[in-house]
Amino acid sequence: MLGSLLLAGSRSPLARRAVSGLPLTRKVVDRFVAGESAADAVAATRRLTGSGLSVTIDHLGEEVRDPGTAVAAAKAYVSLLEELRPLGLGDRAEVSVKLSAVGQALDPGMALENARQICAAARECGATVTLDMEDHTTVDATLGVLRALREDFPETGVAIQAYLFRSEADCRDLAGSRVRLVKGAYAEPASVAWQSKAEVDRAYVRCLRALMSGTGYPMVATHDDRLIAIAESLAVSAGRGAGDYEFQMLYGIRADRQAALAAAGSRVRVYVPYGDDWYGYFMRRLAERPANVVFFLRALRGK
Ligand code: FAD
């Protein structure tokens, strides 16, 4: 219930103004966001890669409403990748892109062109691009852009949301690609998505099976210990070694678990968001876990 309200709030301009204007919101946001500037993202990248983790960096922003902002978002990625290049991290530092941030809703052709420029800049530094997945109405368009990008940049990956009924079939279709499997973070209707945690978890395992038995590169993005253990055992059954798949978790969430998995020899990538358009991302993180709302309220009360 609280989660649904927060997800509805994540799309409300009124709630955006109210939450963004609250004193101390920034302090709480900092728990989930690496900072506002590219320099902050690079600093987080140095710190995380220095401790044996990989990163995927997200320039925060979504649902842009004018071409200028979409082009600026693509340029932000290109200049971030130029800053990363001297670090020589190769694919240990990749980027994640929301197509809505580079103009998908305005003009799919423009979004594809912007995404192409980001892929080209990523390739220059040996990095890859993963397309985030947004609400269910955008899945076909996102997979269409992915197909077009993969003609020139076959290393491009995509996030697939286990909660959607269609995703098991999508995982089979994409079993030769880089696929990040997530549970799904948007409020979706019962006509298209599993609603209970148990159903979503079961669907996640079915998708995992498809990906692990394919020829692609599964990116297991979850903080859920049970699913992490299942992924490890499916990887062994499929004859995959530690470098043949990876785990992914969000910046600021279960950092101890991220470090422990990496210390045990797994590849672990941290999703590092940065930028000033943090509102939608922040509200989805609150919606995932009521305890985060308590943390938020305590900080607002100065405790
Ligand atoms: P859950 O069942 O939600 O959580 C399992 C446990 O993890 C919880 O008990 C708790 O201990 C911990 N945990 C989970 N979330 C939080 C939190 N916010 N704060 C503190 N602890 C928490 N979703 C999309 O729809 N599209 C995407 O493109 C996308 N990309 C993602 C990329 C990465 C790398 C990751 C890790 C997630 C991404 N997500 C994306 C979000 C995802 O869909 C889930 O909403 C999110 O990961 C929570 O699900 P979970 O698998 O961790 O399991």
Side-chain angles (χ1 to χ4, degrees), residues 93-108:
E94 64 145 55
V95 295
S96 284
V97 177
K98 279 189 177 42
L99 289 177
S100 72
V102 292
Q104 192 176 33
L106 299 168
D107 171 2

Side-chain angles (χ1 to χ4, degrees), residues 74-277:
K75 283 195 176 140
Y77 274 106
V78 170
S79 55
L80 171 73
L81 285 157
E82 281 164 2
E83 284 191 48
L84 289 174
R85 200 168 161 188
L87 303 188
L89 292 168
D91 80 344
R92 290 189 62 210
E94 64 145 55
V95 295
S96 284
V97 177
K98 279 189 177 42
L99 289 177
S100 72
V102 292
Q104 192 176 33
L106 299 168
D107 171 2
M110 177 176 66
L112 173 59
E113 187 41 43
N114 284 335
R116 244 189 238 290
Q117 286 176 20
I118 299 170
C119 288
R123 185 173 278 176
E124 286 288 304
C125 55
T128 46
V129 175
T130 297
L131 303 180
D132 284 349
M133 194 58 84
E134 303 179 64
D135 74 74
H136 78 276
T137 62
T138 66
V139 176
D140 282 325
T142 299
L143 294 180
V145 169
L146 175 78
R147 272 192 295 277
L149 288 173
R150 289 192 73 224
E151 284 173 17
D152 294 323
F153 305 97
E155 65 276 24
T156 309
V158 69
I160 294 289
Q161 298 152 320
Y163 63 13
L164 295 182
F165 300 148
R166 61 176 287 166
S167 290
E168 198 184 336
D170 286 336
C171 284
R172 277 195 297 271
D173 287 349
L174 290 163
S177 323
R178 291 168 59 85
V179 176
R180 171 200 298 155
L181 184 61
V182 300
K183 288 191 185 178
Y186 295 79
E188 298 292 12
S191 52
V192 299
W194 303 107
Q195 302 291 311
S196 74
K197 174 172 163 55
E199 286 169 330
V200 175
D201 287 0
R202 280 197 290 273
Y204 195 102
V205 175
R206 289 194 296 275
C207 290
L208 257 184
R209 276 187 210 288
L211 296 176
M212 287 290 184
S213 60
T215 53
Y217 184 72
M219 302 183 275
V220 183
T222 182
H223 311 89
D224 189 325
D225 281 330
R226 210 172 62 87
L227 294 178
I228 290 169
I230 291 172
E232 282 171 333
S233 99
L234 287 174
V236 171
S237 313
R240 287 177 180 271
D244 301 330
Y245 70 105
E246 68 184 37
F247 290 108
Q248 297 190 348
M249 294 193 199
L250 300 174
Y251 181 84
I253 299 182
R254 303 207 69 192
D256 51 345
R257 191 70 176 104
Q258 298 170 12
L261 275 170
S266 296
R267 290 191 79 181
V268 181
R269 193 178 297 276
V270 182
Y271 186 102
V272 178
Y274 81 98
D276 53 13
D277 191 3

